[in-house]
Amino acid sequence: MSRSTLAALAALLAAPVAPLIPAAIAADGDGVEVERQEDALYCKERRLGTWFYCEKPKETPRTTTAPQASARDRLAAISTSLEELKARAILEPSPENVTAYVRFQREQLDRSSMFADVWQRALWQDPGLDYTLQRPVSTLGKRAWIDQRKSDRDLVMAQLSQRYGVFYFYASSCGACDIFSPILKAVSDKYGLSVLAVSMDGGPSAVFPGYMVDSGQYERLGMGTDRQVPALVLFDSVTKQPMPIGYGILSQDEIMDRVFQLTQVAAGSDY
């Protein structure tokens, strides 16, 4: 390569290079953006387009969507509208106002009926949601549930005397105690349940001759200070914990049901 060729090449390389961003917005020495004319070579002949800023990028239109009201707010709005229509129909009972109220109310009744129908279908399809499987409400189902509960209760009562005993608080002057004592004695004889009769006034009991006089047992067993009689307390000989069964006259079934509930059924499982 000749010296003159090298000199020409050197001069060419030393010349300022035109910017490759024709028709773009460039910054001058002061940092101020100025618009330059579109370059014919790059933009028109070669059609380099947006990447060489020959074309301004298209702006995507911004769409603003209003925030949707929550279901709770929508339900509250329905209630408010219903109350307003009702008040208007009462205060201004024109055919138009009454019709508007009745029509809107009917719409909400239809909505409620739809909800109730879907609710019922959901219970049919998911046994975990159907409470009637635990406590039947039909006559046939309820009868079967009660029979099974009595069978389980009688089995428990037959084994109850191995662990539990009953404190029976009475008074010789108590008419209700005279009625209740034979009922409790029948349960005791049927299941071999130990009963310790405690006289609150020191008087005897014709049904439970082996009684003792109260010397603070009533309060220590958690029966309070009202000294209400007759009163029953189930005592657990393993945990040494008393469990009041009830006050007043109870039937045999009530006594056995309460004992079964307190000893075998977890709180809340029947409801």
Side-chain angles (χ1 to χ4, degrees):
M1 181 179 293
S2 65
R3 184 183 181 86
S4 60
T5 304
L6 289 175
L9 181 58
L12 180 61
L13 293 175
V17 181
L20 297 180
I21 312 177
I25 297 177
D28 61 8
D30 296 331
V32 180
E33 293 183 350
V34 295
E35 184 176 356
R36 299 192 175 181
Q37 297 296 324
E38 185 181 273
D39 186 273
L41 174 62
Y42 287 94
C43 294
K44 291 185 177 180
E45 295 184 12
R46 298 187 180 180
R47 298 183 180 178
L48 298 182
T50 304
W51 297 108
F52 280 81
Y53 299 93
C54 296
E55 302 172 0
K56 293 183 179 180
K58 297 179 180 179
E59 295 183 359
T60 304
R62 296 181 180 179
T63 57
T64 57
T65 56
Q68 186 176 3
S70 66
R72 181 177 179 180
D73 291 340
R74 291 161 55 197
L75 189 60
I78 291 175
S79 299
T80 301
S81 298
L82 184 62
E83 289 299 321
E84 176 63 24
L85 290 172
K86 179 181 178 181
R88 188 181 302 167
I90 293 174
L91 297 176
E92 303 173 12
S94 65
E96 294 78 13
N97 290 343
V98 173
T99 299
Y101 169 64
V102 173
R103 191 182 302 279
F104 191 79
Q105 184 188 48
R106 178 58 186 270
E107 292 176 1
Q108 307 321 310
L109 289 174
D110 291 343
R111 190 191 303 271
S112 177
S113 298
M114 174 64 75
F115 170 74
D117 188 22
V118 175
W119 174 294
Q120 185 63 71
R121 293 167 188 255
L123 295 185
W124 291 342
Q125 297 170 9
D126 189 342
L129 300 177
D130 194 352
Y131 174 72
T132 61
L133 296 179
Q134 302 176 32
R135 289 295 296 267
V137 295
S138 66
T139 302
L140 184 60
K142 187 181 295 185
R143 182 73 262 169
W145 186 90
I146 292 175
D147 290 344
Q148 182 62 49
R149 173 56 67 93
K150 285 185 176 181
S151 177
D152 295 339
R153 184 196 67 186
D154 291 343
L155 181 61
V156 168
M157 292 295 297
Q159 303 172 353
L160 198 70
S161 60
Q162 301 175 10
R163 177 171 173 174
Y164 296 92
V166 172
F167 285 92
Y168 169 45
F169 295 93
Y170 75 96
S172 59
S173 58
C174 168
C177 299
D178 294 337
I179 299 174
F180 180 63
S181 293
I183 298 174
L184 178 61
K185 185 67 165 57
V187 175
S188 174
D189 292 342
K190 183 176 181 179
Y191 296 104
L193 187 62
S194 299
V195 176
L196 177 59
V198 182
S199 175
M200 300 297 292
D201 60 358
S205 170
V207 179
F208 297 98
Y211 69 94
M212 66 179 299
V213 179
D214 177 64
S215 58
Q217 293 93 336
Y218 193 95
E219 287 78 9
R220 287 197 295 271
L221 289 175
M223 304 298 285
T225 58
D226 292 340
R227 304 177 72 82
Q228 175 69 43
V229 291
L232 284 182
V233 180
L234 188 67
F235 188 80
D236 189 340
S237 63
V238 175
T239 64
K240 309 301 181 184
Q241 293 295 321
M243 291 179 285
I245 297 174
Y247 304 85
I249 300 175
L250 303 174
S251 68
Q252 291 189 36
D253 280 337
E254 286 178 316
I255 296 173
M256 292 185 290
D257 285 341
R258 294 187 184 190
V259 170
F260 181 80
Q261 288 276 111
L262 291 171
T263 60
Q264 304 298 317
V265 182
S269 61
D270 268 355
Y271 299 93

